[in-house]
Amino acid sequence: MSEANASNLELPNIITSIAKLSPHSTFSKNIVIWENVIFSLIVISVLSLVAYFASRKNKLIPDRFQNAVEVVVGGLDDFICGILGDKGRKFTPFIGTLFLYIIVMNLSGLIPFIKSSTSSWSTTLALAICVFVYVQYSAFKELGFFGYLDHMMGKPRGILAFSVFIPLMMFVLEIVSQLVRPISLSLRLRSNIWGDDMLLAVLANFGIMGVPLLVFSSFLAILASVVQAVVFCLLTTIYFALCLPHEEEHA
């Protein structure tokens, strides 16, 4: 089912409601086209305000709000460094921001008249491409040009280093693997959130008889939103781990 056809099944949101007031105007057509970007910007604004108020006046003895933000940031740092080690701390701002951005977008679809931007492939593909570019940049920076080529060829050593076919085959397979990652990463997130949103929209049309199922499905959607944000960031962290030099290489 295309996104255009699927949009007819979606719950109404504030953008589509405004557009229905004047369905043939240029303004209405434009805001519908850009609705995912608009909801993404709303999430960015909310996260920016939370970050501003949490860091505006840091106290030695934090209040509840500052303490809650520090717990979340500390938990994300422990999660990333638990996989990448201490050298992974420099990736905490990027991966941590990704996690917060994705989980808030996922959960925002449960708020009446708000849509999850992550139910659109354009949003999740953009995030996955950002991950792909940063991973490749980090690999070049950490390994160097020849080290990166060596990594792409599977680090042939011994007799394999003198062969041509196997390193070349590994190089081609690694390129295909790298190019497929943004597609699989983005489709996994988009498909799960889109499926949850469609299920809630269908159950909402059942009226009062569908309320028990709607409540139960909402709890499942909350769980799926958290899990999908964790999976996206876990895979991102693993992609960094695969391209960074390992400790035994320095021994």
Side-chain angles (χ1 to χ4, degrees):
M1 183 183 296
S2 66
E3 291 197 13
N5 292 330
S7 63
N8 296 326
L9 301 176
E10 293 176 353
L11 290 170
N13 60 62
I14 190 170
I15 299 297
T16 55
S17 299
I18 293 173
K20 286 180 180 177
L21 296 176
S22 179
H24 302 295
S25 67
T26 304
F27 174 75
S28 297
K29 293 176 181 176
N30 285 333
I31 60 172
V32 170
I33 292 173
W34 291 93
E35 66 171 350
N36 291 310
V37 176
I38 293 172
F39 285 118
S40 297
L41 291 175
I42 292 174
V43 171
I44 291 173
S45 301
V46 171
L47 289 175
S48 299
L49 285 174
V50 170
Y52 171 74
F53 285 110
S55 59
R56 184 177 56 170
K57 294 179 181 178
N58 283 332
K59 302 173 184 176
L60 186 60
I61 301 178
D63 55 21
R64 291 182 179 179
F65 180 62
Q66 182 183 337
N67 194 43
V69 173
E70 288 181 355
V71 167
V72 172
V73 174
L76 288 170
D77 185 61
D78 290 342
F79 173 78
I80 296 165
C81 292
I83 298 173
L84 298 177
D86 291 338
K87 61 186 177 184
R89 181 153 290 121
K90 60 183 175 182
F91 300 109
T92 297
F94 176 72
I95 301 174
T97 303
L98 263 183
F99 175 79
L100 295 173
Y101 186 42
I102 291 172
I103 195 172
V104 174
M105 282 197 292
N106 291 348
L107 293 172
S108 65
L110 299 173
I111 302 173
F113 296 104
I114 301 293
K115 179 186 177 184
S116 299
S117 296
T118 41
S119 63
S120 170
W121 193 34
S122 60
T123 302
T124 58
L125 183 61
L127 294 174
I129 290 175
C130 288
V131 171
F132 173 79
V133 171
Y134 194 23
V135 168
Q136 301 307 315
Y137 167 77
S138 299
F140 263 101
K141 185 179 178 182
E142 296 290 335
L143 301 173
F145 178 73
F146 292 106
Y148 182 78
L149 288 179
D150 184 46
H151 166 73
M152 295 290 283
M153 289 187 292
K155 300 180 179 177
R157 298 292 184 270
I159 191 170
L160 290 178
F162 296 97
S163 66
V164 176
F165 176 73
I166 293 179
L168 185 61
M169 184 181 66
M170 293 295 295
F171 182 77
V172 174
L173 289 176
E174 187 64 24
I175 287 179
V176 173
S177 171
Q178 296 281 349
L179 293 177
V180 166
R181 287 174 184 174
I183 299 174
S184 63
L185 194 63
S186 58
L187 281 179
R188 181 184 296 104
L189 176 59
R190 180 263 177 188
S191 300
N192 281 281
I193 302 304
W194 178 81
D196 289 337
D197 288 354
M198 289 300 103
L199 178 60
L200 293 178
V202 170
L203 293 176
N205 289 326
F206 287 174
I208 192 69
M209 299 295 291
V211 170
L213 278 177
L214 188 61
V215 172
F216 178 70
S217 297
S218 297
F219 281 112
L220 292 182
I222 293 173
L223 180 62
S225 297
V226 176
V227 169
Q228 290 306 317
V230 171
V231 168
F232 191 98
C233 293
L234 176 62
L235 290 174
T236 298
T237 308
I238 291 173
Y239 294 157
F240 279 110
L242 291 175
C243 75
L244 295 176
H246 302 293
E247 295 296 333
E248 58 268 20
E249 294 178 5
H250 298 291

